[in-house]
C-alpha cells in the first residue's frame, strides 16, 4: 500500500493533449517528455473539393472524431482515463467552432478524470513537438515556425516559463498559405504544400527565377512576405495558358519550393549568426517540405549550427505536441486554467499557455 502510494507520487505525470484548431483532430499522451501515444483523424478529404478548409465541416468532423481519437490514444498507451494527471488543449489560434469542440471535449475529460486543464497556444505546440523526438530544447534556440497560417522566427529560452521573443513574422501570407494558394493556380489539389512537394520531384529548381521577397539589403532582415511569390507563380502559369503551351509543372513547383526554402533558411541562419545561437529548430506543417528540410540541413552544416526538425508525423497538426506543452507546464508548476477557459481564435503568440498567470513567477519577473 505504502509502496503503491510512493510509486504513484514519484512517477512522472501523464498528460493528455487535444488538438482541434483546423482540420486535424489529434489526441496525444506524454509523460516526463516521453511520447506514449498519439492518434490523428483528418477531415482534409472533406475539404478538398472546396479548395480549402470549410470551418463548419471541420467543426462537425471534430465532433465525430473526438471520442474515437482519444480512445485510440489511450488504447495505444495502454492507459485509462483515470490514469491521467492533466489534460492540455489548444485554445487558439484557429477556427472558432473547431477550437470550441476540442475545448468542450477536453473540459469534459478533465472534469470526468478530476484532473487540471491547461489551455495551450497551437504554435507553442508545434515548437514542443520537436522535444518529443530530440529531447529538451537548448536555451537559447532559434525557432522557425512555418505552418499554414503562420511564419515566425522566434528566439526561445524556456518555452513555458518565458515570453516568446519574435524576431520576425510574415507581413502577409504564411509560407504554407503560399503553397496552398499557388497549388490552386497550378491546378494541384488541396493541401497544396504536399502536392507541390510531390510535383517538384525531378523538376529544375533554377528553371524559373521566382523572387526572394524581403531579402534586399534595406529589407527587414527577419520579416517574411509570401503573397508576391504566390502572385508570381500565378502570372507564370497564366503566361503558359495564354500561349496555349503545356505547363512545365515540375520545373515551376521545384522553383517555387526553392524560393520559399531559400528565403526561410537564409533568414533563419542570418538570425542564428546575429544572435550567436547554435541551434535552429524548424517546425510546423511546412517543415515537412523535402526541400526546406534539405536546404536547412545543408546551410546549418555549413554554418556549424545544429538543426532540429521533428519527424514528419509530428510536423503537421497533432495532439502529441499539445500534450508536450501540457507536460512542460505541469512539470514547471504552472497554475491550471480557470473553469471558464474559452477559445481565442486569433491569439497572438506571447506565451505557451493561453490563460493568465499560468507560470506567475515567470510573468512577474
Ligand atoms: O502546421 P500545419 O499542419 O497546420 C497549421 O497550423 O496551419 O500546416 C499546414 C500547412 C499547409 O499549408 C500545408 O500545405 C503545409 O503545411 N504542408 C507542406 C507540406 N506538408 C504540409 N508544405 C510544403 N511541403 C510539404 N510537404
Ligand atoms: Zn499547425
Amino acid at each position: 500500500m505504502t509502496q503503491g502510494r510512493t510509486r504513484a507520487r514519484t512517477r512522472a505525470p501523464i498528460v493528455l493533449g487535444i488538438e482541434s484548431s483546423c482540420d486535424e483532430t489529434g489526441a496525444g499522451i506524454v509523460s516526463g517528455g516521453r511520447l506514449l501515444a498519439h492518434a490523428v483523424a483528418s477531415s482534409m478529404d472533406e475539404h478538398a473539393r472546396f479548395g480549402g478548409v470549410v470551418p463548419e465541416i471541420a467543426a462537425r468532423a471534430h465532433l465525430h472524431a473526438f471520442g474515437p481519437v482519444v480512445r485510440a490514444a489511450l488504447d495505444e498507451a495502454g492507459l485509462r482515463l483515470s490514469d491521467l494527471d492533466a489534460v492540455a488543449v489548444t485554445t487558439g489560434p484557429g477556427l472558432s467552432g473547431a477550437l470550441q469542440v476540442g475545448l468542450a471535449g477536453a473540459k469534459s475529460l478533465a472534469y470526468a478524470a478530476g484532473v487540471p486543464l491547461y489551455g495551450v497556444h497551437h504554435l507553442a505546440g508545434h515548437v514542443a513537438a520537436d522535444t518529443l523526438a530530440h529531447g529538451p530544447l537548448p536555451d537559447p534556440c532559434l525557432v522557425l515556425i512555418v505552418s499554414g497560417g503562420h511564419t515566425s522566427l522566434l528566439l526561445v529560452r524556456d518555452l513555458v516559463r518565458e515570453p516568446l521573443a519574435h524576431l520576425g513574422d510574415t507581413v502577409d501570407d504564411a509560407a504554407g498559405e503560399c503553397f496552398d494558394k499557388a497549388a490552386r493556380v497550378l491546378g494541384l489539389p488541396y493541401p497544396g504544400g504536399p502536392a507541390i512537394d510531390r510535383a517538384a520531384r525531378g523538376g529544375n529548381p533554377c528553371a524559373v527565377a521566382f523572387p526572394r521577397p524581403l531579402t534586399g539589403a534595406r529589407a527587414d532582415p527577419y520579416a517574411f512576405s509570401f503573397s508576391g511569390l504566390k502572385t508570381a507563380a500565378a502570372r507564370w502559369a497564366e503566361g503558359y495558358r495564354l500561349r496555349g503551351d503545356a505547363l512545365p509543372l515540375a520545373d515551376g513547383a521545384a522553383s517555387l519550393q526553392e524560393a520559399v526554402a531559400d528565403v526561410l533558411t537564409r533568414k533563419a541562419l542570418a538570425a542564428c549568426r546575429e544572435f550567436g545561437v547554435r541551434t535552429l529548430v524548424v517546425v510546423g506543417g511546412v517543415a515537412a517540405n523535402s526541400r526546406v528540410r534539405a536546404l536547412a540541413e545543408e546551410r546549418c552544416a555549413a554554418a556549424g549550427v545544429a538543426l532540429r526538425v521533428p519527424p514528419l508525423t509530428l510536423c503537421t497538426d497533432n495532439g502529441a505536441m499539445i500534450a508536450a506543452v501540457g507536460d512542460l507546464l505541469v512539470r514547471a508548476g504552472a497554475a491550471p486554467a480557470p473553469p471558464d477557459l474559452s477559445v481565442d481564435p486569433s491569439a497572438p503568440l506571447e506565451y505557451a499557455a493561453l490563460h493568465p498567470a499560468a507560470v506567475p513567477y515567470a510573468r512577474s519577473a
Side-chain angles (χ1 to χ4, degrees):
M1 183 72 180
T2 315
Q3 204 183 22
R5 250 195 251 132
T6 310
R7 241 200 328 266
R9 252 188 265 124
T10 52
R11 72 158 168 74
I14 298 173
V15 184
L16 170 72
I18 302 291
E19 156 61 33
S20 73
S21 65
C22 192
D23 55 353
E24 262 97 28
T25 316
I29 302 173
V30 170
S31 181
R34 247 174 10 98
L35 176 63
L36 302 185
H38 89 115
V40 179
S42 177
S43 60
M44 200 178 279
D45 294 346
E46 295 174 54
H47 307 286
R49 70 192 171 102
F50 300 103
V53 176
V54 182
E56 291 78 7
I57 294 178
R60 187 169 291 271
H62 287 306
L63 208 53
H64 287 138
F66 188 89
V69 162
V70 169
R71 215 166 300 126
L74 284 169
D75 287 350
E76 190 191 331
L79 295 171
R80 287 171 304 178
L81 194 59
S82 55
D83 293 318
L84 300 178
D85 295 293
V87 177
V89 59
T90 305
T91 48
L95 303 170
S96 176
L99 289 167
Q100 285 181 43
V101 174
L103 176 59
K107 277 186 177 178
S108 319
L109 291 175
Y111 185 74
V115 298
L117 180 70
Y118 294 84
V120 169
H121 196 290
H122 176 79
L123 296 177
H126 275 301
V127 182
D130 187 66
T131 65
L132 299 174
H134 303 120
L137 294 172
D139 173 6
C141 62
L142 250 155
V143 178
L144 174 65
I145 300 184
V146 269
S147 72
H150 297 84
T151 304
S152 298
L153 205 45
L154 309 172
L155 187 60
V156 175
R157 303 207 67 112
D158 184 318
L159 184 60
V160 296
R161 286 193 175 92
E162 304 211 25
L164 298 155
H166 288 245
L167 302 181
D169 298 277
T170 181
V171 297
D172 42 51
D173 291 358
E177 192 177 355
C178 168
F179 279 134
D180 292 335
K181 290 176 175 171
R184 221 168 154 166
V185 300
L186 297 180
L188 293 168
Y190 173 84
I196 287 182
D197 206 343
R198 280 192 301 274
R201 283 181 205 148
N204 175 4
C206 306
V208 191
F210 283 128
R212 289 351 189 211
L214 296 184
T215 53
R218 291 169 61 189
D220 181 333
Y222 307 127
F224 298 95
S225 164
F226 292 106
S227 87
L229 198 46
K230 162 199 73 189
T231 308
R235 295 286 90 83
W236 173 80
E238 200 176 71
Y240 279 89
R241 279 188 200 115
L242 289 175
R243 291 192 297 275
D245 293 340
L247 199 66
L249 188 59
D251 285 350
S255 301
L256 180 66
Q257 199 170 258
E258 189 66 24
V260 172
D262 180 21
V263 172
L264 290 175
T265 54
R266 217 193 283 187
K267 288 184 179 246
L269 278 152
C272 286
R273 256 192 315 277
E274 182 180 340
F275 293 90
V277 177
R278 311 305 313 155
T279 305
L280 172 66
V281 189
V282 186
V283 298
V286 179
N289 182 267
S290 58
R291 188 56 188 150
V292 169
R293 295 172 88 96
L295 197 55
E297 223 161 84
E298 205 178 286
R299 290 184 172 171
C300 281
V305 168
L307 175 68
R308 295 174 45 145
V309 191
L312 292 182
T313 53
L314 293 176
C315 281
T316 45
D317 292 350
N318 64 82
M321 66 189 202
I322 305 304
V325 177
D327 175 58
L328 290 171
L329 285 168
V330 171
R331 287 193 282 142
D340 65 350
L341 176 70
S342 56
V343 303
D344 184 353
S346 50
L349 180 58
E350 290 165 347
Y351 286 91
L354 268 183
H355 40 86
V359 189
Y361 50 90
R363 276 160 205 256
S364 56

